[in-house]
Amino acid sequence: MPPSTRRGDDPTGTGTRRVAYRGRVRELLRTPRWIGLTALGLVLIVAFGALSWWQWQRAQREREVAPPAPVAEILVVGAAPAEEDYGVRVRLSGVYDLGGQVVVANGPSAYWVVTPLRPATGPAVPVARGLVRSPQDPLVSTATPGTVEVVGFAQPYEGDPGPGAPLPAGQAERLTATAFDVGYPLVEGWVALESQVPAADPTAEPVRPPLGVSAPTALRWQNASYAVQWVLFAGFVVFLWVRMLRDDLREARGESLRAAPADGAAERPEVY
Amino acid sequence: MPVTAPVPVVERALLRYRVMAFVVGTMLLILVGAMLLKYVFGVIDSTSIVAIGHGWLYMIYVLVSLDLLFRMRWGFGRIVFVVISGTIPFLSFWCEHKVTGWVRAELADAPQPDRAPH
């Protein structure tokens, strides 16, 4: 075999070298060091795959939501909901009462549109229908007419901020019992709308329930992120294995590992 | 142990590693602090943002570490040490100190014919 044949110049020679290279790889892989490293790599890949699967299952499980409970089981007149019921999914039906609606300031240029939903019997339930950027948003002046089936997250009233600067009629600083001025009983608490039948028109940005449901929602992204990362770590193992094998082959071939800086860079440009 | 890559290349790899070791070490301390706030003091609801941030920064840390370790042709033990220490509070700072010492020692031993400024 000529000492320095470039690939293409002598196909036969290249083929011979390839066969020799494969032989060297097989020989190296049969050494105890490489049997061990390969076994370790496989164990790590399987373990990382299992960890990824586990995190993915956790991410999925968080997504499963319990079927909504009847609102009367969670929100009642005259008593705040129990802390463990914060964020529970509830269902209710009734007619929106635009006249009793309150627009609650939720930070600069963010308003919750909260409209009492009056059922056929029993107390009305304030439903936060959406988050709008201005009190003049069309959502404020329109609500789905007729009987509406609502699913949402039960929330307690916010703390009363006490007397503050006067606000325009129909607006409140906090979502509290005193924010409403209606002639019928209201439950103590409110519901952040998740979905309704018939669908809302116009649609609005949903109100993110402040209590109880934010943590699990975020956790699912954390688990999904970890699931992706475990797969990538398994990829790192493959990369590490290939890289170490290549280094060992070079060493076995007797290539000088202590390459002079300039020569080394020129000889193996693909590495550095 | 021999150094195979040109010196400035190794120093750049070392700098990348040191930056990421510092970032991941700091992020890990923030994560521990956030978990204390959540589970011990109950002040915050969720540590997810910090956890997700640490997770992805750690990925970058591992990549940057492997890059340096291969340039230095270090063995399996050091790879495991560096990769694991990015997940243990405070250890990453000490590990970064150790690794920098090893690299500096090997660079000092290595012949430096044309050490270009960078």
Side-chain angles (χ1 to χ4, degrees):
Chain A
M1 189 164 60
S4 63
T5 313
R6 281 197 297 125
R7 190 170 285 185
D9 286 353
D10 181 1
T12 324
T14 309
T16 316
R17 274 211 307 279
R18 246 184 228 156
V19 170
Y21 182 77
R22 278 192 201 132
R24 277 203 305 277
V25 172
R26 270 199 294 273
E27 202 178 309
L28 186 62
L29 286 177
R30 271 192 230 114
T31 58
R33 168 181 158 85
W34 274 97
I35 290 171
L37 282 174
T38 306
L40 180 65
L42 289 175
V43 166
L44 284 178
I45 288 169
V46 170
F48 290 178
L51 285 165
S52 176
W53 180 247
W54 171 61
Q55 289 289 350
W56 184 240
Q57 294 302 101
R58 286 187 65 184
Q60 300 280 77
R61 191 170 55 204
E62 297 297 339
R63 196 183 294 169
E64 279 171 24
V65 279
V71 73
E73 288 179 8
I74 309 293
L75 298 178
V76 293
V77 179
E83 201 169 323
E84 63 264 27
D85 288 338
Y86 293 180
V88 165
R89 276 176 98 226
V90 292
R91 60 186 157 81
L92 55 156
S93 70
V95 180
Y96 282 123
D97 174 24
L98 266 184
Q101 177 175 282
V102 172
V103 175
V104 182
N106 184 245
S109 66
Y111 302 87
W112 292 349
V113 182
V114 187
T115 316
L117 190 77
R118 299 192 67 182
T121 55
V125 178
V127 174
R129 294 190 290 132
L131 185 143
V132 295
R133 297 298 164 191
S134 139
Q136 277 76 49
D137 193 278
L139 186 76
V140 175
S141 50
T142 48
T144 313
T147 302
V148 182
E149 306 277 337
V150 165
V151 172
F153 303 97
Q155 294 289 298
Y157 278 133
E158 299 183 292
D160 198 324
L167 288 165
Q171 287 194 29
E173 201 178 330
R174 296 283 162 81
L175 184 40
T176 62
T178 52
F180 295 94
D181 181 20
V182 291
Y184 44 81
L186 276 175
V187 297
E188 195 150 321
W190 56 283
V191 169
L193 178 73
E194 185 192 42
S195 62
Q196 68 168 50
V197 180
D201 179 38
T203 54
E205 206 178 315
V207 169
R208 279 189 63 181
L211 297 170
V213 278
S214 55
T217 313
L219 184 69
R220 143 186 129 195
W221 282 108
Q222 186 180 340
N223 295 124
S225 182
Y226 286 163
V228 173
Q229 283 160 15
W230 280 120
V231 171
L232 290 175
F233 280 132
F236 284 3
V237 172
V238 176
F239 168 77
L240 208 64
W241 187 90
V242 170
R243 190 81 193 245
M244 286 177 81
L245 186 70
R246 243 172 47 176
D247 283 358
D248 272 17
L249 278 172
R250 285 216 181 91
E251 213 157 340
R253 219 157 39 187
E255 266 185 23
S256 168
L257 291 179
R258 186 190 287 273
D263 291 345
E267 261 172 34
R268 299 205 299 267
E270 82 278 13
V271 178
Y272 300 111
Chain B
M1 252 182 260
V3 176
T4 53
V7 169
V9 172
V10 169
E11 286 196 338
R12 278 197 292 274
L14 177 64
L15 182 65
R16 284 194 293 270
Y17 161 75
R18 294 184 67 185
V19 169
M20 283 318 295
F22 178 78
V23 169
V24 166
T26 309
M27 201 68 186
L28 198 56
L29 292 186
I30 295 174
L31 181 60
V32 170
M35 288 177 85
L36 283 178
L37 285 182
K38 181 184 176 185
Y39 294 107
V40 179
F41 301 104
V43 194
I44 54 172
D45 283 341
S46 165
T47 60
S48 305
I49 300 293
V50 186
I52 292 173
H54 173 262
W56 289 105
L57 286 169
Y58 179 71
M59 298 289 297
I60 300 173
Y61 167 83
V62 170
L63 279 177
V64 166
S65 301
L66 291 181
D67 174 65
L68 175 70
L69 291 156
F70 275 116
R71 285 177 206 275
M72 298 305 295
R73 291 192 165 276
W74 283 344
F76 203 66
R78 284 189 178 180
I79 293 178
V80 172
F81 170 61
V82 171
V83 168
I84 297 289
S85 69
T87 63
I88 300 170
F90 297 108
L91 191 62
S92 61
F93 296 112
W94 180 71
C95 172
E96 186 270 325
H97 181 75
K98 292 288 283 184
V99 166
T100 306
W102 292 334
V103 173
R104 293 262 183 263
E106 289 183 29
L107 287 185
D109 288 347
Q112 304 173 16
D114 53 347
R115 190 172 166 171
H118 57 283

